Structures are given as structure tokens and as C-alpha cells.
Amino acid sequence: MEIFGRSRRQLAFAYALIMGIFLAVIIFVVHMAMNWSMFSEQAQELSDAANSVAEVQTFYLQNPYAAVDENRYFKTSNDRLFFYIFSDDKQLIRFERASFRIEQFVLDVIDSWNIDEGEVEVFRHSNEMGQLNTVMMTSKKIVTDNTTQILYVGKDVTALYSGLQKATYAQVFLGFVALLIASAIGYFMAGRALVPLKEAYDKQKQFAADASHELRTPLAVVMASADLLLADPSIENPFLRQVLEDLKSEVKKMTNLVSDLLMVARSDNNALKFKIQRLDLTEILKQVIRTMTPIAEKKDIRLAGEDFRKALINADEQKIKQLAIILVDNAIKYTPEGGAVLVRLEKVDNSRVVFAVMDSGIGIAPEDLDKVFERFYRVDKARSREMGGNGLGLAIAAEIVKLHDGKISVASKLGEGTKFTVELKVNLKK
Ligand code: ADP
């Protein structure tokens, strides 16, 4: 059943979407948290290193005759750490060089330094070979009584950041795999959840089919009994005769409803008997016009056929007749007295035949156009009931067209009229 398949896909999709958003948020948060913790840890190390270098340099500035021991500058030995000390007039005083790979970049950064003292900043740079280098740097002023120097301390964190990037890629990949698995599970679970619903739906369809089938016989008996009573000359009282007439007309309405219901239920169960034969659509349309003319005449409506010519198709005669009757009957029902209904053969070629039923009636509002083919849908319930309608006519018409692999469409303007167009295949095979 199409509706269950669609619901299953929609459920699985909604589930996958929620999972996708959830996973994306998790990956994003984890990435940010790792980034933040890595940055704060490295920034702390850099600040400690800067303090240590500044302390040692201050000592040597205050004790100019002490022998300089380069090893004292960094408390911990770390070959990724580097520093440069410049005098006030931008002379390089002392340094621990950054690796050759990044030194030029580091010097350029220092050259255009405009970051507050003590702030730690990450700088990225791609070299000519496309390799991305990442350094973290901070600055500190070294002030003694007679000089001011500026210290830049940095760390090559390329490996750390590229590790973080790889970890994030791995998370995205795993997230994607998890999403695929979750979608498959979601699809499977949605299918399982729909099983009882589908069973209940099938039972309900079967019930509608059985009930309408079983109702036909008693209704036929009531109808025959009413006919019998009406034929009895001993019932002379006009009131009683009227009661019998009313009874007959109500039973007739009910019989129609029951047979419509049966038709719909059978089409749901794919149990519609379908007998394809070669027939001339024009002949059927002519017959329908003949049958419906008395009804049209009662309302003073002109019912006519137009452009009729031979139109041979493969179809089920009874069903096509029923389809044409539904459309013409509606056209007459929803057209005020004195109007016109036209049945026109619009197109006949090798592959398809198109006919239309047009009226000059009340029309259908644009927002109702899509819905008129739904079961039990009636734009104006009171008017439809008054005319003997039950809202199943067009649903059955659409079903018949579908059975013939054809198309039905409607165009309408409120107050001006409606046109139903049906396209049928010439060489339908079943
Ligand atoms: P009903 O038994 O109520 O006629 P249908 O399924 O045949 O049920 O039609 C559904 C609704 O579509 C009708 O109630 C009516 O409001 C609208 N409709 C159908 N045909 C026409 C038409 N030719 N002109 C205006 N409204 C129409």
C-alpha cells in the first residue's frame, strides 16, 4: 500500500534528520571543546615560558658582567619553543631560533605585531608546498631601570593542530557511518511499527467490503417489498402511498451509497473485476448523453456532445460508462437551471483519447480543486446531500481512470463553470 510505504520513508527520513542534527551538534561541541582545552593548555605553557625568559633576561640586564648561559632561558627543554628579544630600537638582542621551516613566517609576524602584551594568539600560514604551519605566540615587555626590551615567545603547534584536524575528520566520518546505520535501523523500525497499523487498515477495508456486500441483499428485498406494496391496489390512502414512495427513494439512495462503497472497497483490495475490450468511446459517450438527457431536461439544461468521431480504445465498458455518468451527473447537479453541459472529444490519436465534460455551473474554488477527488469530500455538504450525492463519485471516477492507466484533471472558475478532462490509453494491455 503506497500510503504505508510513504509514511515509512517519511518516518525514517525524519529520524535520520534528527540523528544527523544531533550528531553534527555533538561533533561540533567535541571539536570546540578539544580546541579550547588544547589552546588553554598551550597558552599556559607559553605564558610560563615567557615569564621564565623574561626573568632570566632581567637578571642578565641587571648583571651585565655575568657569563650568559643560554640553557637558563627555558626552564623546560622543548625544541618547539622559540623566542626573540628586541631592543627598543628594534635590534635583535638574543634568541632561540624557531625551526627553519617557520622562521621567516615568525619574523614576519613579529614585524607586524599589534597584539596586546600577554595575549596569546594562533597564527597560520601555508608554505610554498601547501603545508599548513601553525604557531602560537605571545609578547612581553622586559623593563629595567635603564632599558626596555620586548620579548616574543612562540611555539610550533603545527603537529598538535593537524592532529586535532585529523581527529575531527575521523569523527565526521564515524558520524556519517553512524548516521547511515541509524537511518537503516530507522527504516527497519518504521516498517515494523507500521505492521499492526497496516493489518488494522486491511481489516477495516475488508470490513467495508463485506458490510457493503452484505447490505445489498436486504436493501434489494426492502426495495422489492416497497414495489410490491405500491402495486397493491388495496393501498389507496394517498398518504400511505407517499410514505412508500419516500421509502423507495431513500432505499435507492442507500443502495447507491452501498454500491459506491463496495466499488471503493474493492478497488482498495485490488479486487475490482476488470474486463478489457475494444470499444468506441464515442458510442459510450453518446449512450450516456441519451441516458442523462431526461435528467438534464428536468432542470432545463442543454446536454450535448461535440466533435464526436470514432475513438477506439481498450477499456472496460461498464467502468468507462460509470465514469462518464459520474462526470455528466455532477455537471448537471452543480449547474443551475437553464445552463449547459457539453461532452467533447478533445483528441484522438494513435496513443491516446481525451474527452472532457464541461458545464456552466457554480464552479469549484481553487482551494477545493485538489480535494474533490478525495473520498467523501464535498465542497457544500448540504447541497451535495440534497442532490443525492455522497462525496464518493469523483473518488470512484479517479479510481476508474487509474485502473485504466489514464489521467483525470479538473479546471474551474467559481460562478463560471467546470471542466473535467480525462485521458485514456488507446492500447491498454492488462
Ligand atoms: P458528490 O456526490 O457530492 O457529487 P463527488 O465526489 O462526485 O461527490 O464530488 C465531490 C464534490 O466536488 C462535490 O460535492 C461538489 O462540491 C464538487 N463538484 C464535483 N463536480 C462538480 C461540478 N461539475 N461543478 C461544481 N462542483 C463540482
Side-chain angles (χ1 to χ4, degrees):
M1 197 73 204
E2 176 49 25
I3 161 176
F4 287 103
R6 206 171 46 220
S7 305
R8 184 180 185 182
R9 284 193 295 277
Q10 282 170 349
L11 274 174
F13 178 73
Y15 176 70
L17 193 70
I18 293 169
M19 282 301 283
I21 294 172
F22 185 63
L23 282 169
V25 169
I26 288 186
I27 291 171
F28 179 74
V29 170
V30 167
H31 173 80
M32 293 312 278
M34 278 167 65
N35 208 344
W36 176 81
S37 81
M38 197 171 86
F39 178 85
S40 48
E41 194 185 317
Q42 296 301 317
Q44 186 59 46
E45 187 186 346
L46 212 55
S47 300
D48 290 349
N51 287 336
S52 149
V53 174
E55 203 179 293
V56 176
Q57 180 66 1
T58 309
F59 171 81
Y60 285 126
L61 283 175
Q62 285 164 348
N63 303 283
Y65 301 110
V68 175
D69 175 3
E70 300 277 351
N71 293 331
R72 284 186 61 190
Y73 278 89
F74 284 135
K75 275 203 179 105
T76 52
S77 73
N78 186 331
D79 59 2
R80 293 188 195 281
L81 281 168
F82 53 85
F83 73 84
Y84 295 85
I85 300 174
F86 288 88
S87 66
D88 239 1
D89 52 358
K90 299 230 164 23
Q91 291 295 313
L92 186 57
I93 309 284
R94 200 169 296 288
F95 55 80
E96 169 82 38
R97 294 180 69 171
S99 79
F100 172 72
R101 186 165 48 85
I102 53 168
E103 185 165 49
Q104 191 50 50
F105 164 55
V106 168
L107 293 175
D108 289 345
V109 167
I110 292 174
D111 220 27
S112 53
W113 192 266
N114 59 356
I115 290 150
D116 291 345
E117 190 191 353
E119 295 262 320
V120 176
E121 189 79 35
V122 174
F123 299 92
R124 287 195 174 82
H125 163 77
S126 294
N127 65 11
E128 312 79 58
M129 270 122 79
Q131 289 163 327
L132 187 72
N133 291 308
T134 314
V135 294
M136 228 175 192
M137 286 176 68
T138 187
S139 66
K140 192 170 170 66
K141 274 204 177 92
I142 302 170
V143 186
T144 59
D145 295 342
N146 37 20
T147 55
T148 303
Q149 296 182 340
I150 178 131
L151 159 73
Y152 300 94
V153 180
K155 185 175 182 188
D156 181 0
V157 286
T158 306
L160 279 174
Y161 272 84
S162 85
L164 177 72
Q165 200 180 32
K166 279 182 194 142
T168 305
Y169 286 159
Q171 278 173 28
V172 170
F173 175 75
L174 287 177
F176 190 69
V177 172
L179 187 62
L180 281 183
I181 295 172
S183 307
I185 293 176
Y187 188 70
F188 175 71
M189 296 302 265
R192 286 192 55 170
L194 287 174
V195 168
L197 282 181
K198 193 170 169 338
E199 279 170 4
Y201 183 73
D202 286 343
K203 270 196 197 136
Q204 179 239 317
K205 274 189 323 194
Q206 193 55 46
F207 172 75
D210 294 347
S212 36
H213 188 259
E214 293 306 314
L215 279 169
R216 284 201 311 182
T217 318
L219 281 173
V221 173
V222 176
M223 188 66 145
S225 310
D227 275 338
L228 208 70
L229 287 174
L230 269 173
D232 187 340
S234 67
I235 300 177
E236 282 167 2
N237 184 335
F239 173 71
L240 282 184
R241 297 197 77 82
Q242 188 53 50
V243 168
L244 282 173
E245 288 293 352
D246 291 349
L247 176 72
K248 259 186 74 172
S249 108
E250 289 303 316
V251 171
K252 196 157 181 237
K253 268 190 213 162
M254 207 155 152
T255 310
N256 285 343
L257 171 61
V258 163
S259 75
D260 283 357
L261 271 176
L262 189 60
M263 164 99 191
V264 168
R266 281 190 176 151
S267 78
D268 276 346
N269 289 351
N270 291 329
L272 275 186
K273 289 198 190 78
F274 190 49
K275 207 176 104 211
I276 287 195
Q277 61 188 91
R278 198 74 175 157
L279 49 88
D280 184 359
L281 178 67
T282 304
E283 281 311 314
I284 294 186
L285 295 179
K286 277 184 184 162
Q287 253 183 48
V288 170
I289 291 177
R290 270 200 304 276
T291 324
M292 300 301 282
T293 299
I295 301 170
E297 276 173 356
K298 266 194 206 158
K299 281 182 80 179
D300 199 17
I301 286 173
R302 200 175 68 86
L303 170 62
E306 196 178 84
D307 284 346
F308 278 174
R309 62 215 123 121
K310 216 175 178 56
L312 289 176
I313 57 169
N314 283 350
D316 181 307
E317 186 175 348
Q318 286 313 315
K319 301 236 159 22
I320 296 295
K321 203 181 277 175
Q322 191 179 2
L323 164 70
I325 288 179
I326 290 170
L327 296 181
V328 173
D329 183 46
N330 273 349
I332 296 171
K333 271 197 305 199
Y334 301 106
T335 298
E337 292 202 359
V341 172
L342 192 63
V343 181
R344 187 162 71 195
L345 205 55
E346 304 238 296
K347 194 168 158 189
V348 180
D349 66 24
N350 290 339
S351 61
R352 67 202 83 229
V353 169
V354 179
F355 77 93
V357 178
M358 291 166 271
D359 63 55
S360 61
I362 57 171
I364 305 170
E367 64 269 23
D368 291 316
L369 271 185
D370 285 348
K371 301 185 195 141
V372 292
F373 295 106
E374 286 172 14
R375 289 174 191 177
F376 296 109
Y377 188 82
R378 291 170 293 182
V379 176
D380 179 346
K381 289 196 175 42
R383 183 196 280 259
S384 163
R385 197 174 305 119
E386 199 178 293
M387 308 273 186
N390 53 38
L392 281 174
L394 287 178
I396 291 176
E399 207 62 60
I400 294 175
V401 172
K402 194 171 133 201
L403 210 60
H404 284 85
D405 217 356
K407 289 181 194 142
I408 183 165
S409 60
V410 53
S412 185
K413 251 198 175 143
L414 266 186
E416 288 187 17
T418 306
K419 176 178 178 183
F420 281 91
T421 308
V422 176
E423 181 182 313
L424 294 168
K425 283 193 171 160
V426 168
N427 290 313
L428 180 73
K429 286 187 191 74
K430 267 240 162 107

